[in-house]
Amino acid sequence: AKPPFETIIRPYGKAAIEDAAALIADGQIVAVPTETVYGLAADATNAEAVARIYAAKGRPSFNPLIVHLPDLLAAQRIAAFPQAALDLAALYWPGPLTLVLPLKAESGIASLVTAGLTTIALRVPAHPAMQDLLRACGKPLAAPSANASGSISPTRAAHVAKSLGGRLPLIVDAGATEQGLESTIVAVAADGSLRLLRPGPVDLGLALETGGAIEAPGQLASHYAPSKPVRLNALDADSDEWLIGFGAVAGDATLSTTGDLTEAAAHLFD
């Protein structure tokens, strides 16, 4: 086994993006912010690089990864877009919506990314750091959340360092992420019908599909699980508990004093 990396945290800027792009071109992984959470990015066309994502996260190999693209045109080279998918892309891209679509045979995407499925999860992110990295690399980037598999997701560079320090060479630090929750994932069938695979910042009014085969990230039963026991709907804390407040419930820390759900989402994993 290779010795652990010295994980360097660099502030987001031209030099950090150039370094990150060089590492990715060399088949390495880097952590970079998106508008949802920090992602662990690798060249989606390089199976060995993608394997490094799984190794760093300790992620089950049957759980597919989201591929990030700079724009719709790049996404259309990889997947078939029914009209319903084009309509959603026009409304929500760039942004926190992931579309699961039929994979094109000539996509060049490593099969490890899709976990051998005939579909692929695609997103055009809005965060300038991820957009800069995509354009600097000129490659589609597979990028799950930059944390150990099954644990809560990172909304700051320090969270990435705590969870994955020593397992990757570089973290690009652009401060706290805006949304704080992973992207909404919607599967689009050839006939235009939609299925919600993971709820997130974009609400399309769909009921969550449960109990099926794993088609997208976030469908494992233990996904986003904190390491401590959690008691839900608590209004006050027992002597050995730490209370997360919301609205009128103050708590030891609060998600949103005004009861704002977007603010709460941005603070949740933090």
Side-chain angles (χ1 to χ4, degrees):
K2 290 184 178 178
F5 286 97
E6 178 192 358
T7 300
I8 296 169
I9 301 177
R10 299 199 62 181
Y12 166 51
K14 188 171 184 288
I17 293 298
E18 286 175 353
D19 285 357
L23 285 164
I24 285 174
D26 192 40
Q28 299 299 321
I29 56 175
V30 299
V32 61
T34 75
E35 71 274 27
T36 56
V37 298
Y38 274 70
L40 191 60
D43 178 355
T45 68
N46 180 338
E48 192 175 322
V50 175
R52 289 192 172 104
I53 292 177
Y54 285 102
K57 286 177 67 71
R59 189 185 184 97
S61 60
F62 54 79
N63 205 7
L65 305 177
I66 294 172
V67 173
H68 296 71
L69 289 311
D71 51 40
L72 173 60
L73 189 62
Q76 286 177 297
R77 297 189 190 106
I78 291 171
F81 275 72
Q83 187 57 49
L86 291 172
D87 293 344
L88 287 171
L91 281 170
Y92 297 108
W93 279 2
L97 177 67
T98 294
L99 299 177
V100 175
L101 299 161
L103 180 67
K104 286 186 174 178
E106 68 279 12
S107 70
I109 298 295
S111 61
L112 194 56
V113 170
T114 61
L117 299 173
T118 58
T119 54
I120 188 166
L122 299 181
R123 184 163 91 86
V124 174
H127 197 290
M130 186 54 132
Q131 276 288 342
D132 284 354
L133 184 57
L134 282 162
R135 295 180 190 283
C137 293
K139 293 286 183 71
L141 296 179
S145 56
N147 59 302
S149 189
S151 62
I152 59 175
S153 301
T155 58
R156 298 176 183 271
H159 299 166
V160 182
K162 182 178 180 182
S163 185
L164 297 180
R167 300 191 200 177
L168 75 165
L170 178 64
I171 301 168
V172 178
D173 184 359
T177 60
E178 182 184 346
Q179 297 283 350
L181 288 178
E182 255 103 349
S183 61
T184 303
I185 303 181
V186 174
V188 186
D191 64 2
S193 60
L194 307 178
R195 292 180 298 120
L196 180 64
L197 302 183
R198 180 176 75 184
V202 174
D203 184 1
L204 299 177
L206 300 169
L208 179 63
E209 182 169 295
T210 59
I214 290 174
E215 299 176 71
Q219 293 186 291
L220 292 174
S222 65
H223 220 82
Y224 318 128
S227 57
K228 304 282 188 187
V230 175
R231 183 162 63 90
L232 298 177
N233 300 322
L235 299 180
D236 46 53
D238 291 341
S239 61
D240 62 343
E241 293 181 325
W242 194 82
L243 181 63
I244 301 172
F246 178 73
V249 180
D252 296 294
T254 184
L255 295 175
S256 170
T257 55
T258 60
D260 182 270
L261 288 173
T262 302
E263 183 184 15
H267 291 156
L268 179 60
F269 290 140
D270 203 358

